[in-house]
Amino acid sequence: MAFDIEMIKKVYDKMPARVDKARELVGRPLTLSEKILYAHLWEGVPTQKFERGKDYVDFAPDRVACQDATAQMALLQFMHAGKEKSAVPTTVHCDHLIQAKVGAEKDLAVANSQSKEVFDFLSSVTNKYGIGFWKPGSGIIHQILLENYAFPGGMMIGTDSHTVNAGGLGMLAIGVGGADAVDVMSGMAWELKFPKLIGVKLTGKLNGWTAPKDVILRVADILTVKGGTGAIVEYFGEGALSMSATGKGTICNMGAEIGATTSTFGYDDSMRRYLSATGRQDVVDAADKVASYLTADAEVYANPEQYFDQLIEINLSELEPYINGPFTPDRGTPVSKMKEEAAKNDWPIKVEWGLIGSCTNSSYEDMSRAVSIVNQAVELGITPKAEFGINPGSEQIRFTIERDGILEAFEKMGTKVFTNACGPCIGQWDREGADKQEKNTIVHSFNRNFSKRADGNPNTHAFVTSPEMVAALAISGRLDFNPITDTLINDNGEEVKFKPPFGDELPKKGFAVDDPGFQAPAENGSAIEVIVSPTSQRLQLLEPFKPWDGKNITGAKLLIKAFGKCTTDHISMAGPWLRFRGHLDNISNNMLIGAENAFNHKTNWVKNELTGVYGEVPAVQRAYKAAGVPTIVVGDQNYGEGSSREHAAMEPRHLGVMAVLVKSFARIHETNLKKQGMLALTFANEADYDKILEDDTINFLDLVDFAPGKTLTLEFVHKDGSKDLIVANHSYNEQQIEWFKAGSALNLIAAGK
């Protein structure tokens, strides 16, 4: 479980020389992001001035992290790679397969029973390959990473989009698909397009009801869900220095919601305090020796407009609490404007549930600030109007807040304390009455609020806000309640008002835990046998995807033309489907069932061109596959936004989809498609999206000449015999084209190439 101080020291030992050389070569001061990127160049990569947003660069991350839902497929792929042990420190965390329903004890017991086969597989495969295993109930992956493994100036990749949470400790932590993780675990370089840089200058200081959460909610409102695509967001300024490390983690965590590659902060005293409090004074001592390399050069922060591609300034002293939603995390509403916005948009005013937790807001500080509102409600004699639930971020957090009386205070108000796991944040919530699909409002401190995400009900209006605001809104029972200005009537008919929240950044008595839930791997796992039953419904050994035949794809059919927002939740839903994350064929039955068909505006209802009959998307695609007919998927803007789940790429690949043609991609999903040997293409002219008709037959005219920087031409033959030629762009380099030719990147690894 312990952090690897020797590995960290090695990172710091090589950092000064590498950064100094890069600064000299680039000829200007460097941002923090650039320092970490240049310090982690793969051995043998020449130091040069890389062009932001254009040059693909090979990096050497320090560690890999996987959560249980994505780890299944990642480790199944790693088994196929033929390696004896993970080449870098790697951990697997069981946090996704635990459903919230009754409460922690019973819910965890149910999960351990229902998912025993998966947990046993993960326990044995990690034991065999030298990978640390965090058991069910130990906590949420990103909170555990922050508590145990993240360190300033490091680089980590993780098979979850919110890996970026570790930026709260000055790390470059990046969400990827399982195939990327397999590369690094196999001892290979990890490839990334050199990011653009967005600077966020924070002035002033948070006060009153405003929390770190409001910073990222405001940034999301400014940049939208795709405004950070291809960029690292670097926060700095006096406002950044005044925040806690876990508050910084919250801000970095939700950088995934703006599409950012990652987000980070410079090394400072808040990080020193947190590292020391979590038993890592050795890291502080090592980091202090290279402290100037763990933040940007002074000139960068003095004149940021010269060094960032985009600059945003936020005065924390003037920032007010935000409530973002519904249905998208970038629709921001200041609390002072919620009354008029809710009325104008006919949002349900009554709050049914308030939920605190998830990887975004489950720290000690979050819990202590939220409970300060709960305690006030009890003292003021207010009976909460909404139901209330919390998910502690880790067993260490849960144990500590129980010791300090915080859990007891929550429970006095009737709060349901769920397992130390993701729960409702990822759709793992058996919410009573959700099947009725009634229009309602919930508020939560999670990161995402897409339609159906929390409870499966498309009519649940989910709003994202800070833990303290969740507490206030849930207690008041009203979405339009402004705790800064409004009063409530208590159980005695008296008019009462909340005071601003308060809480400790770190526990005064220190953190404590009896059993954190960690299983160390065997020193030598060569004799350990990993068994996957051929009749299992939960796990399935992988078969290699077939290589490209070297010919143009012809006679292809359109599977679906997706309309509007199409996230990875739409392409491969979570919730009850999580149980099939280790069984590619079974989970493929959820492929694109949430995508809206542009021709009839229905979900999971597309035309089978072989029969002329409409059917469910996976069934229609299986019919095409059985008949040997290739297909393509067409999509809108920011296709594949959201979670890093590579199932959204593997399912179409498994069922025979050859290409995805869209207006634009979210970064992780585009990479995942490439890794699985698919064609990820974008319209050279976005208006061509409108030319594609339901009955089209598609021919690739020049795929045989597939090359970097060269467009591809697709012929769309309409039912009446007329044709449209559509030019498609792509971002494949030579190596990525080899992935396509081989059938997948994994096929090349397995072949020793």
Side-chain angles (χ1 to χ4, degrees):
M1 182 182 78
F3 59 91
D4 189 343
I5 187 62
E6 294 307 317
M7 178 269 284
I8 294 171
K9 286 179 178 178
K10 287 178 183 177
V11 174
Y12 291 161
D13 284 346
K14 69 182 180 182
M15 180 173 270
R18 286 189 166 207
V19 171
D20 290 345
K21 182 178 180 182
R23 188 189 294 112
E24 181 181 346
L25 188 72
V26 174
R28 58 165 173 76
L30 297 178
T31 67
L32 168 63
S33 305
E34 289 173 314
K35 289 181 179 182
I36 300 176
L37 289 168
Y38 278 108
H40 285 84
L41 293 179
W42 182 255
E43 294 292 344
V45 173
T47 304
Q48 62 188 70
K49 185 176 180 180
F50 297 108
E51 189 169 354
R52 296 176 186 173
K54 290 192 176 179
D55 291 335
Y56 279 96
V57 185
D58 285 343
F59 293 99
D62 304 310
R63 65 177 309 115
V64 173
C66 310
Q67 38 93 335
D68 50 354
T70 54
Q72 295 170 65
M73 197 58 69
L75 292 175
L76 286 165
Q77 291 178 86
F78 185 68
M79 290 168 67
H80 183 54
K83 305 296 180 180
E84 292 184 1
K85 195 172 185 178
S86 176
V88 301
T90 300
T91 50
V92 168
H93 305 256
C94 295
D95 61 359
H96 274 55
L97 298 177
I98 305 167
Q99 190 176 56
K101 182 177 182 179
V102 179
E105 187 176 346
K106 290 184 179 179
D107 292 347
L108 181 57
V110 169
N112 277 324
S113 173
Q114 291 182 343
S115 294
K116 184 179 187 301
E117 180 185 12
V118 172
F119 294 147
D120 286 350
F121 165 73
L122 292 175
S123 175
S124 65
V125 75
T126 53
N127 203 21
K128 180 176 180 64
Y129 292 110
I131 297 167
F133 179 67
W134 288 82
K135 302 172 187 177
S138 60
I140 305 172
I141 174 173
H142 311 303
Q143 181 66 32
I144 290 178
L145 292 174
L146 203 68
E147 290 176 0
N148 295 278
Y149 302 119
F151 66 95
M155 177 182 279
M156 172 169 61
I157 63 169
T159 61
D160 187 287
S161 56
H162 293 100
T163 303
V164 295
N165 188 77
L169 278 179
M171 206 170 196
L172 286 191
I174 301 170
V176 299
D180 275 352
V182 170
D183 281 357
V184 177
M185 292 164 66
S186 299
M188 297 170 61
W190 172 64
E191 183 185 67
L192 177 72
K193 188 181 289 186
F194 204 86
K196 294 183 179 180
L197 301 179
I198 298 173
V200 180
K201 183 178 181 179
L202 302 176
T203 60
K205 189 175 182 180
L206 293 170
N207 60 86
W209 282 88
T210 311
K213 183 79 161 197
D214 299 304
V215 176
I216 186 56
L217 294 179
R218 176 62 181 136
V219 169
D221 188 43
I222 293 169
L223 288 176
T224 78
V225 290
K226 63 177 183 176
T229 301
I232 293 176
V233 183
E234 190 170 320
Y235 293 85
F236 62 95
E238 59 176 345
L241 295 174
S242 68
M243 271 187 244
S244 67
T246 52
K248 292 177 170 74
T250 291
I251 292 169
C252 293
N253 183 294
M254 276 195 68
E257 275 57 64
I258 57 172
T261 300
T262 192
S263 304
T264 196
F265 286 79
Y267 180 53
D268 64 9
D269 284 342
S270 72
M271 297 182 191
R272 291 183 178 94
R273 292 193 297 271
Y274 187 77
L275 286 164
S276 180
T278 51
R280 290 174 285 173
Q281 184 60 42
D282 285 355
V283 178
V284 176
D285 296 340
D288 282 345
K289 293 177 182 177
V290 291
S292 65
Y293 293 93
L294 303 177
T295 188
D297 290 335
E299 297 92 328
V300 171
Y301 292 160
N303 300 288
E305 64 282 348
Q306 297 179 22
Y307 302 100
F308 292 99
D309 298 290
Q310 183 178 354
L311 182 65
I312 296 169
E313 294 192 34
I314 297 175
N315 186 338
L316 301 184
S317 301
E318 298 174 355
L319 185 66
E320 62 177 302
Y322 265 70
I323 305 168
N324 284 28
F327 307 129
T328 185
D330 62 349
R331 182 172 184 168
T333 303
V335 65
S336 62
K337 301 285 178 61
M338 182 51 81
K339 269 191 175 69
E340 60 182 274
E341 282 297 305
K344 183 170 66 178
N345 292 285
D346 192 31
W347 295 334
I349 293 299
K350 182 183 177 185
V351 173
E352 305 279 355
W353 267 90
L355 297 159
I356 292 173
S358 87
C359 59
T360 320
N361 281 105
S362 56
S363 67
Y364 186 89
E365 182 180 35
D366 290 328
M367 296 298 176
S368 64
R369 282 177 64 86
V371 86
S372 74
I373 304 303
V374 169
N375 284 331
Q376 288 186 60
V378 173
E379 292 167 8
L380 294 170
I382 305 170
T383 299
K385 303 298 188 294
E387 294 191 76
F388 211 68
I390 64 169
N391 286 81
S394 68
E395 175 57 15
Q396 178 167 273
I397 293 292
R398 189 211 63 78
F399 190 96
T400 305
I401 64 175
E402 181 179 47
R403 179 201 66 189
D404 293 350
I406 292 174
L407 265 192
E408 184 182 3
F410 273 119
E411 289 171 334
K412 273 184 182 176
M413 204 184 67
T415 303
K416 282 190 177 180
V417 180
F418 296 124
T419 315
N420 314 320
C422 302
C425 181
I426 58 160
Q428 282 286 53
W429 184 22
D430 188 357
R431 182 185 178 189
E432 187 177 348
D435 56 329
K436 297 177 184 177
Q437 299 198 355
E438 294 173 339
K439 187 176 179 180
N440 75 103
T441 284
I442 65 173
V443 293
H444 59 58
S445 67
F446 306 161
N447 37 55
R448 295 195 174 128
N449 56 346
F450 304 142
S451 174
K452 302 183 182 180
R453 178 157 177 110
D455 62 3
N457 178 4
N459 298 311
T460 291
H461 291 54
F463 293 85
V464 183
T465 190
S466 68
E468 44 268 62
M469 281 294 295
V470 169
L473 296 177
I475 291 166
S476 73
R478 292 186 62 86
L479 179 65
D480 60 358
F481 174 67
N482 184 349
I484 301 171
T485 59
D486 297 350
T487 58
L488 294 172
I489 304 300
N490 70 6
D491 298 346
N492 295 325
E494 301 163 333
E495 191 172 355
V496 295
K497 191 172 186 294
F498 286 128
K499 295 175 183 176
F502 61 91
D504 293 324
E505 173 187 331
L506 297 164
K508 289 185 174 70
K509 299 177 185 176
F511 287 105
V513 65
D514 277 347
D515 178 10
F518 178 73
Q519 172 186 290
E523 284 294 324
N524 183 350
S526 58
I528 296 171
E529 187 177 3
V530 180
I531 299 173
V532 175
S533 169
T535 60
S536 172
Q537 294 300 299
R538 297 289 299 270
L539 297 163
Q540 180 186 47
L541 293 176
L542 295 176
E543 293 290 333
F545 293 132
K546 291 181 180 179
W548 177 47
D549 64 6
K551 301 175 183 177
N552 282 325
I553 298 169
T554 58
K557 296 297 182 182
L558 176 70
L559 175 61
I560 188 171
K561 179 179 174 180
F563 177 80
K565 186 184 282 286
C566 191
T567 71
T568 48
D569 278 88
H570 296 91
I571 305 167
S572 176
M573 287 186 177
W577 290 96
L578 284 171
R579 66 186 185 276
F580 296 129
R581 282 284 179 87
H583 197 293
L584 183 55
D585 194 59
N586 281 347
I587 199 169
S588 293
N589 288 321
N590 79 359
M591 185 193 70
L592 285 158
I593 64 176
E596 181 179 336
N597 185 347
F599 300 111
N600 57 23
H601 296 288
K602 294 180 180 180
T603 57
N604 203 21
W605 201 242
V606 295
K607 189 176 182 181
N608 181 338
E609 289 299 320
L610 302 178
T611 63
V613 176
Y614 284 83
E616 296 178 343
V617 181
V620 170
Q621 179 55 38
R622 287 184 186 276
Y624 286 134
K625 182 180 181 180
V629 176
T631 58
I632 76 165
V633 168
V634 171
D636 214 317
Q637 296 279 9
N638 207 31
Y639 184 88
E641 168 196 342
S643 169
S644 68
R645 68 191 64 152
E646 66 181 346
H647 298 78
M650 295 187 78
E651 291 171 30
R653 180 75 172 99
H654 172 65
L655 293 184
V657 177
M658 301 300 294
V660 180
L661 173 63
V662 300
K663 293 180 181 178
S664 64
F665 281 107
R667 174 189 62 86
I668 299 175
H669 188 62
E670 181 181 20
T671 300
N672 286 347
L673 290 169
K674 291 179 178 180
K675 287 277 184 176
Q676 300 306 331
M678 290 185 68
L679 292 170
L681 310 173
T682 56
F683 291 100
N685 178 4
E686 289 184 3
D688 285 345
Y689 171 91
D690 298 322
K691 296 178 180 178
I692 296 174
L693 305 179
E694 189 173 37
D695 301 318
D696 285 347
T697 298
I698 305 106
N699 301 310
F700 283 75
L701 302 185
D702 50 9
L703 184 58
V704 291
D705 300 319
F706 193 19
K710 187 178 184 298
T711 59
L712 293 174
T713 305
L714 285 72
E715 177 186 65
F716 283 77
V717 182
H718 307 308
K719 194 174 184 179
D720 63 3
S722 62
K723 300 177 183 178
D724 274 305
L725 294 182
I726 291 178
V727 176
N729 293 329
H730 67 83
S731 60
Y732 287 74
N733 59 23
E734 292 282 3
Q735 175 66 32
Q736 294 167 347
I737 290 174
E738 291 304 312
W739 300 343
F740 170 72
K741 290 179 178 179
S744 71
L746 186 59
N747 286 355
L748 287 180
I749 296 175
K753 299 179 182 179

